[in-house]
Amino acid sequence: LFVVLVILDVTTNVYVSLNHISYVSQPEFGNYTTAMDKAVQENKRHDNSFYRTAKNFMRTKDDPFQGDYNGAEHFGSTLEPSISSFMSSIGQPSGDGFIAYSNGTQVTDSLLGFKYFLQAKNHGQQADGNQVLPITSTRPDWYSSKTRYETNMVNIKHNSNALPIAFGASNQILHYKNVSLDPLNYQSAIFQLLAGNSANHQLFDVQNFDNVKFTNVQKVKQITGTNFIRNNPLQNASVTLHFTPSTNDSYYLTLGPSVKNVASIQLNGRTLDQYPTYHNTIVVNVASHQKGHPVAIKFTMKKQAMWMQNVSLYKLNGHQFNKDVQTLQQQALKVTSYHANQINGKVTIKHHQQILMTTIPYAKGWHVKIDGAVVKPIKVINTFMAVPITRGTHHVSFTFIPPYLISGLIVSLLTLIACGGWAYYQRRRKI
């Protein structure tokens, strides 16, 4: 009877407690997890190689841990500050202890090796209208890509421009110091230098809006940096930016962190899907493969004033981007095997004065061997690891051993031996 009472008490306690402290219902968690896992496993069934995956939906920033795939979202108190800083610099939501890859461009997709993109069907809704996959990313530049695989809830897109985890690149990147607060300028400089070009050759060109509609606010000639004030405090106020793409290239809009607090944004009459937590300037894809089709971006004011912080429009130079991608893919590392702490591969370097650039975050504990010889890693753009390499075909091995692990094991072993010896000595004394 006592055991039965304890079981009933504990079970009731667990049920009541979890329902009070839960921030998500079981269907919200279960349906999302089922849809995400199904897409991840479908992708792995067709491609079991080493790659990263992006998506336009998110439940938590630790989806990659839960779904067992290589992504670029993470939340943890041990996250290296340099990673958050880098993600912020390229226009991704980030902060102390977290990063989210919801605002990628074709450049960052390629650089960071996102070979696949999971796109929610029907805006993440089931047939009954239930929202299963919360949309956190606007990516028209992926929508036009051909669907490689699919599930009932997700289209799996393939990115032919994705670079591998390591590739041969120009050593110009070793001397680059970030002096730009513009995320697209920073992306451009990194990619161009890796391809052996000048950092001054921009991949993104600033674009002007065709016209702007001002509703209940002052009219101005320059949008970015302007602080709009309602003319009539009791009436709705908005600023609508219009442009018509002149090419099928991708167009991107930058948004400062203050904008999310003072305005709601619509893209072509539909609420802009965006991960809400960010403390830096982000990049939003607003058009791709839409030559001649008008685009309208409406900022509706939430308060009496609206500061258009870092609101600017850019166009990707698709021709130059494709040329750079071809240059870097020619010297791609072919991963032959990989484990939790090791990556092995083969690479052919075709030019002099090259480095093997990786998108592996630099950390003490990485050990690199090229053709069996130990090579010291270099920290590049204060974030990633690279190693010097010569022309020719090489076998490369990256192995991570936590710092002081071997020393710690030796100390522990010696301590155990000493304790065992002391116990044996004490026993012999008693005899």
Side-chain angles (χ1 to χ4, degrees), residues 330-342:
Q330 288 177 2
Q331 303 177 104
L333 177 76
K334 182 179 180 181
V335 177
T336 54
S337 65
Y338 63 93
H339 308 283
N341 69 325
Q342 188 177 67

PDB file of all heavy atoms in Angstrom, residues 330-342:
ATOM      1  N   GLN A 330      37.543  23.985 -57.351  1.00  0.00           N
ATOM      2  CA  GLN A 330      38.564  23.234 -58.066  1.00  0.00           C
ATOM      3  C   GLN A 330      39.575  22.607 -57.114  1.00  0.00           C
ATOM      4  O   GLN A 330      40.266  21.659 -57.473  1.00  0.00           O
ATOM      5  CB  GLN A 330      39.294  24.139 -59.061  1.00  0.00           C
ATOM      6  CG  GLN A 330      38.465  24.515 -60.280  1.00  0.00           C
ATOM      7  CD  GLN A 330      39.197  25.479 -61.197  1.00  0.00           C
ATOM      8  OE1 GLN A 330      40.347  25.856 -60.943  1.00  0.00           O
ATOM      9  NE2 GLN A 330      38.551  25.889 -62.269  1.00  0.00           N
ATOM     10  N   GLN A 331      39.689  23.169 -55.902  1.00  0.00           N
ATOM     11  CA  GLN A 331      40.674  22.674 -54.941  1.00  0.00           C
ATOM     12  C   GLN A 331      39.980  22.233 -53.653  1.00  0.00           C
ATOM     13  O   GLN A 331      40.413  22.532 -52.551  1.00  0.00           O
ATOM     14  CB  GLN A 331      41.706  23.758 -54.647  1.00  0.00           C
ATOM     15  CG  GLN A 331      42.406  24.243 -55.916  1.00  0.00           C
ATOM     16  CD  GLN A 331      43.372  25.379 -55.644  1.00  0.00           C
ATOM     17  OE1 GLN A 331      44.582  25.183 -55.617  1.00  0.00           O
ATOM     18  NE2 GLN A 331      42.849  26.563 -55.421  1.00  0.00           N
ATOM     19  N   ALA A 332      38.883  21.510 -53.828  1.00  0.00           N
ATOM     20  CA  ALA A 332      38.068  21.087 -52.690  1.00  0.00           C
ATOM     21  C   ALA A 332      38.631  19.823 -52.042  1.00  0.00           C
ATOM     22  O   ALA A 332      39.135  18.924 -52.732  1.00  0.00           O
ATOM     23  CB  ALA A 332      36.635  20.831 -53.151  1.00  0.00           C
ATOM     24  N   LEU A 333      38.539  19.772 -50.713  1.00  0.00           N
ATOM     25  CA  LEU A 333      38.923  18.568 -49.987  1.00  0.00           C
ATOM     26  C   LEU A 333      37.833  17.518 -50.168  1.00  0.00           C
ATOM     27  O   LEU A 333      36.654  17.779 -49.901  1.00  0.00           O
ATOM     28  CB  LEU A 333      39.092  18.875 -48.491  1.00  0.00           C
ATOM     29  CG  LEU A 333      39.422  17.665 -47.602  1.00  0.00           C
ATOM     30  CD1 LEU A 333      40.892  17.274 -47.772  1.00  0.00           C
ATOM     31  CD2 LEU A 333      39.117  17.955 -46.137  1.00  0.00           C
ATOM     32  N   LYS A 334      38.219  16.339 -50.590  1.00  0.00           N
ATOM     33  CA  LYS A 334      37.278  15.222 -50.681  1.00  0.00           C
ATOM     34  C   LYS A 334      37.389  14.418 -49.400  1.00  0.00           C
ATOM     35  O   LYS A 334      38.412  13.764 -49.151  1.00  0.00           O
ATOM     36  CB  LYS A 334      37.589  14.347 -51.899  1.00  0.00           C
ATOM     37  CG  LYS A 334      36.608  13.200 -52.068  1.00  0.00           C
ATOM     38  CD  LYS A 334      36.925  12.358 -53.296  1.00  0.00           C
ATOM     39  CE  LYS A 334      35.919  11.215 -53.444  1.00  0.00           C
ATOM     40  NZ  LYS A 334      36.225  10.372 -54.623  1.00  0.00           N
ATOM     41  N   VAL A 335      36.356  14.490 -48.584  1.00  0.00           N
ATOM     42  CA  VAL A 335      36.370  13.789 -47.297  1.00  0.00           C
ATOM     43  C   VAL A 335      36.229  12.289 -47.545  1.00  0.00           C
ATOM     44  O   VAL A 335      35.256  11.832 -48.157  1.00  0.00           O
ATOM     45  CB  VAL A 335      35.230  14.286 -46.379  1.00  0.00           C
ATOM     46  CG1 VAL A 335      35.205  13.490 -45.077  1.00  0.00           C
ATOM     47  CG2 VAL A 335      35.410  15.772 -46.087  1.00  0.00           C
ATOM     48  N   THR A 336      37.219  11.527 -47.067  1.00  0.00           N
ATOM     49  CA  THR A 336      37.205  10.077 -47.263  1.00  0.00           C
ATOM     50  C   THR A 336      36.636   9.345 -46.052  1.00  0.00           C
ATOM     51  O   THR A 336      36.093   8.251 -46.182  1.00  0.00           O
ATOM     52  CB  THR A 336      38.629   9.565 -47.553  1.00  0.00           C
ATOM     53  OG1 THR A 336      39.517  10.010 -46.505  1.00  0.00           O
ATOM     54  CG2 THR A 336      39.128  10.115 -48.895  1.00  0.00           C
ATOM     55  N   SER A 337      36.769   9.937 -44.869  1.00  0.00           N
ATOM     56  CA  SER A 337      36.201   9.351 -43.655  1.00  0.00           C
ATOM     57  C   SER A 337      36.111  10.429 -42.595  1.00  0.00           C
ATOM     58  O   SER A 337      36.869  11.399 -42.605  1.00  0.00           O
ATOM     59  CB  SER A 337      37.050   8.174 -43.152  1.00  0.00           C
ATOM     60  OG  SER A 337      38.331   8.623 -42.742  1.00  0.00           O
ATOM     61  N   TYR A 338      35.181  10.254 -41.675  1.00  0.00           N
ATOM     62  CA  TYR A 338      35.063  11.208 -40.576  1.00  0.00           C
ATOM     63  C   TYR A 338      34.438  10.535 -39.360  1.00  0.00           C
ATOM     64  O   TYR A 338      33.669   9.582 -39.478  1.00  0.00           O
ATOM     65  CB  TYR A 338      34.236  12.437 -40.986  1.00  0.00           C
ATOM     66  CG  TYR A 338      32.803  12.156 -41.356  1.00  0.00           C
ATOM     67  CD1 TYR A 338      31.780  12.243 -40.410  1.00  0.00           C
ATOM     68  CD2 TYR A 338      32.459  11.816 -42.667  1.00  0.00           C
ATOM     69  CE1 TYR A 338      30.462  11.991 -40.761  1.00  0.00           C
ATOM     70  CE2 TYR A 338      31.137  11.570 -43.026  1.00  0.00           C
ATOM     71  CZ  TYR A 338      30.152  11.655 -42.060  1.00  0.00           C
ATOM     72  OH  TYR A 338      28.851  11.400 -42.406  1.00  0.00           O
ATOM     73  N   HIS A 339      34.829  11.043 -38.199  1.00  0.00           N
ATOM     74  CA  HIS A 339      34.324  10.549 -36.919  1.00  0.00           C
ATOM     75  C   HIS A 339      33.995  11.766 -36.057  1.00  0.00           C
ATOM     76  O   HIS A 339      34.090  12.906 -36.512  1.00  0.00           O
ATOM     77  CB  HIS A 339      35.356   9.645 -36.243  1.00  0.00           C
ATOM     78  CG  HIS A 339      35.864   8.545 -37.122  1.00  0.00           C
ATOM     79  ND1 HIS A 339      35.141   7.405 -37.389  1.00  0.00           N
ATOM     80  CD2 HIS A 339      37.025   8.426 -37.825  1.00  0.00           C
ATOM     81  CE1 HIS A 339      35.828   6.615 -38.207  1.00  0.00           C
ATOM     82  NE2 HIS A 339      36.978   7.223 -38.491  1.00  0.00           N
ATOM     83  N   ALA A 340      33.615  11.528 -34.812  1.00  0.00           N
ATOM     84  CA  ALA A 340      33.212  12.621 -33.932  1.00  0.00           C
ATOM     85  C   ALA A 340      34.315  13.656 -33.743  1.00  0.00           C
ATOM     86  O   ALA A 340      34.049  14.842 -33.596  1.00  0.00           O
ATOM     87  CB  ALA A 340      32.775  12.065 -32.575  1.00  0.00           C
ATOM     88  N   ASN A 341      35.578  13.211 -33.748  1.00  0.00           N
ATOM     89  CA  ASN A 341      36.682  14.142 -33.501  1.00  0.00           C
ATOM     90  C   ASN A 341      37.749  14.082 -34.591  1.00  0.00           C
ATOM     91  O   ASN A 341      38.883  14.526 -34.379  1.00  0.00           O
ATOM     92  CB  ASN A 341      37.338  13.835 -32.147  1.00  0.00           C
ATOM     93  CG  ASN A 341      38.086  12.515 -32.155  1.00  0.00           C
ATOM     94  OD1 ASN A 341      37.659  11.559 -32.805  1.00  0.00           O
ATOM     95  ND2 ASN A 341      39.191  12.451 -31.432  1.00  0.00           N
ATOM     96  N   GLN A 342      37.388  13.549 -35.760  1.00  0.00           N
ATOM     97  CA  GLN A 342      38.412  13.433 -36.810  1.00  0.00           C
ATOM     98  C   GLN A 342      37.787  13.520 -38.201  1.00  0.00           C
ATOM     99  O   GLN A 342      36.694  13.005 -38.440  1.00  0.00           O
ATOM    100  CB  GLN A 342      39.165  12.108 -36.668  1.00  0.00           C
ATOM    101  CG  GLN A 342      40.371  11.987 -37.609  1.00  0.00           C
ATOM    102  CD  GLN A 342      41.133  10.694 -37.389  1.00  0.00           C
ATOM    103  OE1 GLN A 342      40.608   9.617 -37.670  1.00  0.00           O
ATOM    104  NE2 GLN A 342      42.355  10.792 -36.871  1.00  0.00           N
TER     105      GLN A 342
END
